[in-house]
Amino acid sequence: MVIVTRIRREVLTLPAAELGPDNPLPPLSLPEESHRVDERDREDLPRDMARGLGHEPLRSLLPVRIRDGYGRARTPRALDALVIENDRLRATVLPGLGGRVASLVHLPTGRELLHRNPVFQPANLALNGAWFAGGIEWNIGATGHTTLACAPLHAARVPAPDGGEMLRLWEWERLRDLPFQVDLWLPDGSDFLYAGVRVRNPHEHPVPAYWWSNTAVPEDRRIVVPAAEAWEFGPERRLHRVPVPAYDVQPPYAADWFYDIPDGRRRWIAALDADGHGLVQTSTDGLRGRKQFVWGSGPGGRRWQEWLGGPGTGGYREIQAGLTRTQLEHVRLDAESEVSWLEAYGPLSAASPDSVEERLELVLPRAGLDAVHTAWKPYADTEPGELLATGSGWGALEVLRADWKLPGTPFAEATLTEEQAPWRELLRTGTLPDPRRVRPPGPTLVAPHWRDMLETAPATPHTEYHLGVAQWHAGDRAQAVRSWERALPLAPSLWPLLRCLAVADQEYGQHERAAERFADAFDDLCRMLPHCLNGVGGTPTDDGETWTAACAALGREAVEALLRVRRVAEARAVWEALHPAIRDRGRFRLLEAELLLAEGRRAAAQAVFDTGFEVADLREGSDALGRLWARLGDEPLPARYDFRMRPQGL
């Protein structure tokens, strides 16, 4: 019996941590980032690569917010999934989590072709925090894991070029203000999942673009690629050319290898087991780059893999495909233009590494893939049919503002939510409305057109706050400070403005004044809380999660700033004012150990480590645990705290 390709809804139940609320404080500074190239290397790089490395790197996460509200308590949770299946493959997609392809099963053999994570555990690896391991993810925006890693995308059924159905995923990427789509389909009888990708620039000016498709595969796979050399980016953060490493090489620390595929060669990368079976990913030539990432064989790499999947999950490595030769580059996307390509994912068996390309050409000819891409492109504009999932309302707001026509990716006005409501009012009336109730400020839009509207709107304290954030993002730091200072005399809530001014002080090296302003901001927030809580430590009457997130985020910043200038007693006062439930979090247990050490209570600080804690939002590449442990004594860092990704001294 012939099984017709179909798309269906399914529920995937996993042990899962809750994402929790976003951090309501605007990210005025970029988080710690390990993917930066040493300036000494640029002179020795190919000219186009050096140009891409310097092309408009990300300078701010705005208007996106940090996602750091998750923990590590996992309970069974039902995740909405969309399954695409024919008689050869079954792909399971998570539209609510960045459109991740969580599983790709070859039905005739029952083989899972991907690293399928048995848990959902966010960790601090995305540009804006929350990210999870496993499957195939679609990274757009800037160097790193996309800010949409744990965000919902729009999804719908769409006619496919072969007469069947595609699953379309689409959203508005906010770091670069670009709409994109991923069309997934399985032709009847096909051994390959096709992914047609399009990124559009509707603006009247060029925009930097970035894309890397990231596939997790089991760690024991042999990676085969049509290249003899690679650009290695290791713990020393130097980019240099090396021979392609042997398949069984596992360095002690995490490493990236960006393969230097010769011009004219077909673009592909395969991950095969010891018997020559596994996954191959290939694409049309527009997706130029190929990469492998490994966590490394050292204790830090092993700990990270356990952290992301749980004990006994099994390690993984990543194979990736991108628009540029390395993941550290961005390309120019011209005004009112678009870029598209076609990817294919499927099983491959080869007798030897040297025969992989021959086998690939036999089962999926290069010319055939190009023909499928050509056939798909007209269908990219086809309007979606049945809606299967809903993303954010930010794209609808931008379409409403500019009256853009984006065939194939409708951003319906019906998707606008409370988050977009004040900005829609600004667009309609020229006035940014004050919040109807006392609450932490909502997200700020920072693109030039929104900044222009804020500059001409009535100068209320609420508007001046948002204008200052937009000016800060634009690099006009002095004007941002003036906007925040202008708002202070009449503002009903001082703490959001004081906190922004404190960050500005830090940027200017005024650490004493920054600490004082952070402390004043936290005191003002504490004075606000009785109006929002039913008694001290009670249940919030309104926006409770948001208030708790604001208190935790600002309290942490205040303690850190005060410790930096050795105002230890004031740091202790802020710590004691935090709710016990906040102080019990792993991030704050680490902060408590630092505070105790600053007070000269070394044994008490040591006891915090001995009791045990987990910093749920520990940043990839951070050595905060190791640095603090080294200040406590000479004992080796316990394995549970060892997340080191670089040798000591680097």
Side-chain angles (χ1 to χ4, degrees):
M1 182 179 71
V2 175
I3 299 178
V4 178
T5 301
R6 59 191 181 274
I7 300 171
R8 69 177 189 274
R9 298 178 187 270
E10 196 169 274
V11 173
L12 184 63
T13 301
L14 297 176
E18 292 292 337
L19 274 170
D22 288 353
N23 187 329
L25 308 185
L28 300 179
S29 303
L30 277 172
E32 181 181 348
E33 177 53 62
S34 59
H35 300 99
R36 300 198 185 281
V37 178
D38 192 304
E39 291 294 330
R40 294 171 294 176
D41 294 331
R42 297 204 180 192
E43 295 180 1
D44 300 326
L45 300 178
R47 185 173 300 178
D48 63 329
M49 186 184 295
R51 186 167 56 247
L53 290 170
H55 182 62
E56 297 193 41
L58 197 66
R59 65 173 185 268
S60 166
L61 288 180
L62 292 164
V64 175
R65 288 188 156 186
I66 301 294
R67 308 204 75 171
D68 60 2
Y70 51 88
R72 291 194 55 81
R74 296 191 289 265
T75 57
R77 178 177 156 203
L79 303 176
D80 290 333
L82 298 169
V83 175
I84 316 171
E85 187 173 17
N86 64 6
D87 60 338
R88 307 292 297 171
L89 287 176
R90 181 174 62 241
T92 303
V93 181
L94 303 177
L97 294 169
R100 184 78 60 98
V101 180
S103 170
L104 185 62
V105 176
H106 183 228
L107 296 174
T109 62
R111 292 194 187 103
E112 172 63 67
L113 301 178
L114 310 176
H115 168 69
R116 180 172 184 169
N117 199 334
V119 304
F120 171 68
Q121 177 57 64
N124 192 359
L125 279 80
L127 286 164
N128 64 330
W131 177 87
F132 66 106
I136 305 170
E137 61 175 309
W138 318 108
N139 289 301
I140 182 173
T143 297
H145 293 287
T146 177
T147 62
L148 295 166
C150 291
L153 304 190
H154 302 283
R157 298 179 194 269
V158 185
D162 65 341
E165 286 186 325
M166 295 189 293
L167 172 61
R168 174 162 299 160
L169 305 165
W170 75 99
E171 219 350 319
W172 195 276
E173 200 288 311
R174 301 180 66 209
L175 293 180
R176 304 300 196 181
D177 258 344
L178 298 176
F180 72 96
Q181 70 190 81
V182 180
D183 288 353
L184 299 171
W185 79 102
L186 280 169
D188 287 345
S190 173
D191 269 336
F192 285 88
L193 173 69
Y194 290 125
V197 184
R198 175 168 65 169
V199 181
R200 288 191 275 200
N201 176 14
H203 302 282
E204 295 178 348
H205 55 81
V207 175
Y210 172 93
W211 185 282
W212 281 78
S213 301
N214 183 358
T215 304
V217 296
E219 188 177 39
D220 62 359
R221 296 300 189 259
R222 170 186 301 191
I223 307 305
V224 187
V225 67
E229 294 185 310
W231 294 91
E232 183 178 75
F233 187 73
E236 71 284 355
R237 299 180 185 176
R238 303 293 302 273
L239 190 63
H240 54 279
R241 195 191 295 268
V242 299
V244 166
Y247 76 90
D248 56 351
V249 164
Q250 186 70 273
Y253 294 95
D256 299 315
W257 291 298
F258 301 102
Y259 296 108
D260 196 6
I261 300 176
D263 291 341
R265 288 293 299 272
R266 184 174 184 176
R267 263 50 194 171
W268 59 268
I269 187 167
L272 308 178
D273 64 18
D275 296 323
H277 306 301
L279 172 81
V280 66
Q281 187 275 353
T282 186
S283 72
T284 49
D285 290 351
L287 203 63
R288 177 184 186 184
R290 292 297 184 276
K291 170 196 166 183
Q292 179 187 177
F293 166 79
V294 295
W295 280 107
S297 61
R302 309 317 304 174
R303 183 70 177 109
W304 268 111
Q305 300 215 51
E306 180 185 71
W307 186 251
L308 294 167
T313 299
Y316 73 92
R317 60 181 73 206
E318 295 171 357
I319 56 174
Q320 303 188 25
L323 283 175
T324 49
R325 200 177 315 181
T326 76
Q327 206 173 43
L328 310 172
E329 305 165 67
H330 300 85
V331 298
R332 173 187 167 114
L333 188 56
D334 289 330
E336 299 178 334
S337 70
E338 65 179 51
V339 60
S340 75
W341 61 90
L342 183 74
E343 302 182 47
Y345 297 82
L348 190 83
S349 296
S352 69
D354 293 338
S355 66
V356 171
E357 188 159 13
E358 181 182 346
R359 286 290 301 163
L360 175 60
E361 188 64 21
L362 183 65
V363 297
L364 185 62
R366 183 180 189 180
L369 192 67
D370 291 339
V372 174
H373 181 216
T374 300
W376 165 75
K377 284 200 285 188
Y379 287 81
D381 283 344
T382 302
E383 290 305 310
E386 179 192 1
L387 293 177
L388 300 171
T390 303
S392 78
W394 295 113
L397 184 67
E398 293 299 331
V399 168
L400 191 64
R401 178 193 65 80
D403 194 29
W404 278 317
K405 309 301 179 190
L406 300 169
T409 54
F411 293 94
E413 202 167 331
T415 62
L416 292 168
T417 68
E418 187 181 356
E419 273 195 319
Q420 291 86 43
W423 301 96
R424 185 182 187 183
E425 185 70 10
L426 174 64
L427 182 62
R428 189 177 67 84
T429 67
T431 298
L432 187 69
D434 287 333
R436 295 179 182 177
R437 57 186 182 271
V438 177
R439 64 195 304 183
T444 303
L445 296 183
V446 297
H449 40 267
W450 293 107
R451 188 173 72 248
D452 290 345
M453 281 186 258
L454 288 169
E455 287 176 344
T456 57
T460 65
H462 182 61
T463 300
E464 293 279 19
Y465 163 81
H466 285 289
L467 175 58
V469 174
Q471 290 166 330
W472 183 270
H473 170 77
D476 193 350
R477 303 293 174 85
Q479 190 58 56
V481 168
R482 283 193 287 271
S483 294
W484 294 325
E485 289 176 339
R486 277 198 306 268
L488 277 173
L490 297 176
S493 301
L494 300 181
W495 68 267
L497 297 160
L498 290 171
R499 184 264 175 181
C500 288
L501 290 167
V503 174
D505 288 335
Q506 283 184 327
E507 293 287 322
Y508 290 130
Q510 302 292 329
H511 297 295
E512 283 283 354
R513 190 168 66 180
E516 188 170 333
R517 277 179 162 158
F518 273 122
D520 289 345
F522 185 76
D523 287 345
D524 185 68
L525 176 58
C526 289
R527 285 192 292 270
M528 300 277 308
L529 287 178
H531 299 289
C532 308
L533 301 177
N534 291 326
V536 178
T539 302
T541 59
D542 210 325
D543 301 307
E545 274 197 338
T546 305
W547 282 111
T548 301
C551 190
L554 185 54
R556 173 185 166 186
E557 289 182 344
V559 171
E560 290 173 342
L562 289 163
L563 288 178
R564 181 169 188 168
V565 295
R566 298 181 175 83
R567 293 166 68 163
V568 180
E570 292 169 81
R572 170 60 66 180
V574 172
W575 170 264
E576 295 293 343
L578 291 169
H579 192 280
I582 294 174
R583 297 202 302 259
D584 283 345
R585 298 177 187 175
R587 169 60 64 183
F588 289 85
R589 295 283 287 156
L590 175 62
L591 192 57
E592 180 187 21
E594 187 173 354
L595 176 58
L596 289 165
L597 194 57
E599 292 171 331
R601 301 163 63 186
R602 186 179 301 272
Q606 177 72 55
V608 173
F609 277 86
D610 294 343
T611 302
F613 60 91
E614 292 183 319
V615 183
D617 63 331
L618 186 71
R619 184 69 178 167
E620 177 191 15
S622 171
D623 59 349
L625 288 164
R627 286 200 313 269
L628 186 56
W629 177 263
R631 292 168 59 194
L632 293 173
D634 298 325
E635 293 295 316
L637 181 65
R640 66 180 301 178
Y641 300 120
D642 191 351
F643 293 87
R644 291 174 293 189
M645 296 177 65
R646 308 171 71 194
Q648 195 168 1
L650 277 183

